[in-house]
Structure formats: structure tokens, C-alpha cells
Amino acid sequence: LLPETGLATARHVAERLRRCVQAPPVTTTRGEVNVTISLGVAEMCADDATPAALLDRADAALYRAKENGRNRVETVEDGVCRD
């Protein structure tokens, strides 16, 4: 959660986190393992009745990232929040 952070900045933070996780291989007893993450990013909308609505959109973006090849950041679709 990134309070008072817009969608573009949150996506940038998520992308930096993704690159940091991907960068160094993790050493295990069986050798080195490359670790990656996929992230879904959503912005709180004025018409969100509960925090669950925000989490549902972020979760949908996460699953889209996995479907689109993993090791990536996806955001909610444009126009989801109506001002």
C-alpha cells in the first residue's frame, strides 16, 4: 500500500521492486535460483465502497501480469475510476 501515491508513481515503485527481486540469483543448497515477481497495481477510487474493491482490482491486474508472461507489472485498465 502506498498512501497518497498516484497510479503512475505506484507503477514506477512496483517496477523498481520487480527489478530488485529479479536482479540477484538466490543461492540454495541445490544451486542458484532466479526469482521473479509479478505485481498488480490499482489506485483507490472515490466510488470504492470498501478497501476490498481496491484489492479486487489490484488482484485482477496481478493475474493479468501472470497471464501475460509473468515477471511484470500490470495496472488496472484506464477509465476504471470515474471522477
Side-chain angles (χ1 to χ4, degrees):
L1 297 175
L2 301 169
E4 299 183 33
T5 304
L7 190 61
T9 302
R11 181 184 175 88
H12 179 73
V13 170
E15 184 60 34
R16 284 180 46 206
L17 177 61
R18 186 197 63 76
R19 285 193 312 263
C20 286
V21 168
Q22 173 186 321
V26 175
T27 303
T28 71
T29 57
R30 294 183 180 212
E32 291 188 339
V33 176
N34 293 316
V35 177
T36 63
I37 60 172
S38 296
L39 299 125
V41 179
E43 183 176 26
M44 188 81 163
C45 295
D47 59 345
D48 283 337
T50 66
L54 169 63
L55 294 176
D56 286 346
R57 287 195 312 281
D59 193 48
L62 169 62
Y63 280 97
R64 202 168 47 255
K66 290 179 178 184
E67 290 169 0
N68 289 332
R70 300 180 183 253
N71 190 32
R72 56 187 296 126
V73 175
E74 291 282 342
T75 57
V76 295
E77 299 86 15
D78 290 335
V80 170
C81 292
R82 296 172 261 330
D83 295 334

